Amino acid sequence: MEEHLRQLIRSIPDFPKEGILFRDITTLLKDAEGFRMAVEAMIAPYKDKKIDKIVCVEARGFLFGGAMGYLMGCGVVPVRKPGKLPYDTEKQAYTLEYGTASVEIHKDALKPGEHVLIVDDLLATGGTAKATAELVERLGGEILSIVFLVELLGLEGRKLLDKYDVFSVITYE
Amino acid sequence: MEEHLRQLIRSIPDFPKEGILFRDITTLLKDAEGFRMAVEAMIAPYKDKKIDKIVCVEARGFLFGGAMGYLMGCGVVPVRKPGKLPYDTEKQAYTLEYGTASVEIHKDALKPGEHVLIVDDLLATGGTAKATAELVERLGGEILSIVFLVELLGLEGRKLLDKYDVFSVITYE
């Protein structure tokens, strides 16, 4: 199954800049059967767990987070770039290759003790996921796992997330 | 049902700027039952139709597009802001209150003749939806309907979209 999904992903050299081999999931998304399999693989480990909220990261994480929330009967919480969420937010910065970026969550997005899956499409360096996890913890959420469709092993994002359970469906060296 | 969903939406004055009453759907998204009802209401008119692709608009449209694509057994196609899609794209500009913006779609996202639902969270002036519809048509897609969770009637977005069937679940004057 992982191999079938991997073949639906297109690799694009030098995007967004020279030397980067971009894993383009849009070719998987547009394949109805591939998208269904991907979503089901992402929720499979949590079928018997009590999950209250899917916290998903802008923007591609929303495509999976929405489907997973519906399927699992959970509420869905968007984590967004600064200035996009209209109510009171918590904000967390993280480091990029050059400089920093931030993500935000609504302060009332979670109740203390709620069980959370964090969802995004891709684990690269893990910076966004770690910042998201810190936001969830600041609101008192309990992180059961951080779930990705694709993991780029070479960037060692798992190391940055070593406090957490991390699950990915498709890995690349 | 519309009334129940409307009560889950929070209204925030003066966001993103003074004089605008922002309809915040995050309070609906985080309510598992409300999110489920919203997604089911958005697909209800199309249950017996042949739909090949859900084309959804960055970013909040992805939350609904992913769930709808899964439920309807369709492929999902993201329409994004410029520079986000890695492969060859078609681009369409649209007018904002001040200036213009653009959206893009991958050139190979649709096959000619495919049946498409366009999905976004909110119909305001309709500019983004119209630009998205033009992209879909340029690729040869047939637009069955443009579907929104929320419609702001006062902004008359439907007029701009009068070539198309438009469906919204919740309306505000």
Side-chain angles (χ1 to χ4, degrees):
Chain A
M1 195 269 301
E2 187 195 339
E3 198 44 44
H4 176 68
L5 291 177
R6 191 198 312 271
Q7 284 172 10
L8 291 173
I9 292 175
R10 169 166 57 189
S11 295
I12 297 186
D14 301 323
F15 185 89
K17 57 184 187 184
E18 216 179 304
I20 297 195
L21 183 61
F22 188 86
R23 306 300 181 174
D24 175 17
I25 64 164
T26 65
T27 36
L28 180 153
L29 291 167
K30 75 173 174 175
D31 184 287
E33 177 70 5
F35 180 60
R36 187 187 62 71
M37 286 173 66
V39 170
E40 289 176 1
M42 289 169 83
I43 70 169
Y46 314 105
K47 284 232 161 149
D48 302 322
K49 310 278 190 205
K50 182 187 170 295
I51 310 284
D52 301 298
K53 296 271 162 60
I54 302 288
V55 173
C56 50
V57 182
E58 181 173 10
R60 286 187 301 259
F62 290 5
L63 292 160
F64 297 95
M68 291 168 71
Y70 181 89
L71 266 171
M72 302 176 82
C74 302
V76 175
V77 173
V79 162
R80 302 207 62 179
K81 289 164 187 126
K84 298 281 188 179
L85 290 170
Y87 192 66
D88 297 341
T89 60
E90 290 284 341
K91 187 172 184 168
Q92 178 66 47
Y94 60 97
T95 308
L96 296 174
E97 197 182 353
Y98 302 102
T100 61
S102 300
V103 283
E104 291 187 338
I105 196 169
H106 271 155
K107 280 187 177 169
D108 65 353
L110 299 172
K111 295 187 206 106
E114 282 193 315
H115 290 197
V116 168
L117 287 186
I118 293 173
V119 172
D120 205 353
D121 67 320
L122 179 79
L123 174 54
T125 63
T128 320
K130 180 137 188 266
T132 300
E134 284 166 5
L135 290 175
V136 167
E137 288 176 336
R138 227 184 288 163
L139 301 182
E142 289 185 24
I143 299 166
L144 264 77
S145 190
I146 309 181
V147 183
F148 302 94
L149 177 63
V150 174
E151 178 176 1
L152 306 180
L153 298 169
L155 297 175
E156 298 189 330
R158 248 172 220 267
K159 274 197 190 164
L160 197 65
L161 304 175
D162 59 1
K163 275 178 65 184
Y164 307 102
D165 181 68
V166 172
F167 171 63
S168 61
V169 175
I170 306 164
T171 58
Y172 289 94
E173 280 310 320
Chain B
M1 197 267 302
E2 186 194 342
E3 197 43 45
H4 176 68
L5 291 177
R6 190 198 312 270
Q7 284 171 10
L8 290 173
I9 292 175
R10 169 165 59 189
S11 295
I12 298 185
D14 300 323
F15 185 90
K17 58 185 187 181
E18 217 179 303
I20 297 195
L21 184 61
F22 188 85
R23 306 299 181 174
D24 174 19
I25 64 164
T26 65
T27 36
L28 180 153
L29 291 167
K30 74 174 176 174
D31 183 288
E33 178 71 5
F35 179 60
R36 188 187 62 71
M37 285 173 66
V39 170
E40 290 177 0
M42 289 169 83
I43 69 169
Y46 314 104
K47 283 233 161 150
D48 302 322
K49 311 277 190 206
K50 182 186 169 295
I51 309 284
D52 301 298
K53 296 272 163 59
I54 302 287
V55 173
C56 51
V57 182
E58 179 172 10
R60 285 186 301 258
F62 290 5
L63 292 160
F64 296 96
M68 291 167 71
Y70 181 90
L71 266 171
M72 302 176 81
C74 302
V76 175
V77 172
V79 162
R80 302 205 63 179
K81 288 163 189 128
K84 298 280 187 179
L85 290 171
Y87 192 66
D88 297 341
T89 59
E90 291 284 341
K91 188 172 182 168
Q92 178 66 46
Y94 59 97
T95 308
L96 296 173
E97 197 182 354
Y98 302 103
T100 61
S102 299
V103 282
E104 292 187 339
I105 195 169
H106 271 155
K107 280 187 178 171
D108 65 352
L110 299 173
K111 294 187 205 105
E114 283 193 316
H115 290 196
V116 169
L117 286 186
I118 294 174
V119 172
D120 205 352
D121 67 320
L122 178 78
L123 173 54
T125 62
T128 321
K130 180 136 187 268
T132 301
E134 284 166 4
L135 291 174
V136 168
E137 287 176 336
R138 226 183 289 165
L139 300 182
E142 288 184 25
I143 299 166
L144 265 77
S145 188
I146 309 181
V147 183
F148 303 94
L149 177 63
V150 174
E151 178 177 0
L152 306 180
L153 298 170
L155 297 174
E156 298 189 332
R158 248 172 219 267
K159 274 198 191 164
L160 198 65
L161 303 174
D162 60 1
K163 272 179 67 184
Y164 307 102
D165 181 69
V166 172
F167 172 63
S168 62
V169 174
I170 306 164
T171 58
Y172 289 93
E173 281 309 321

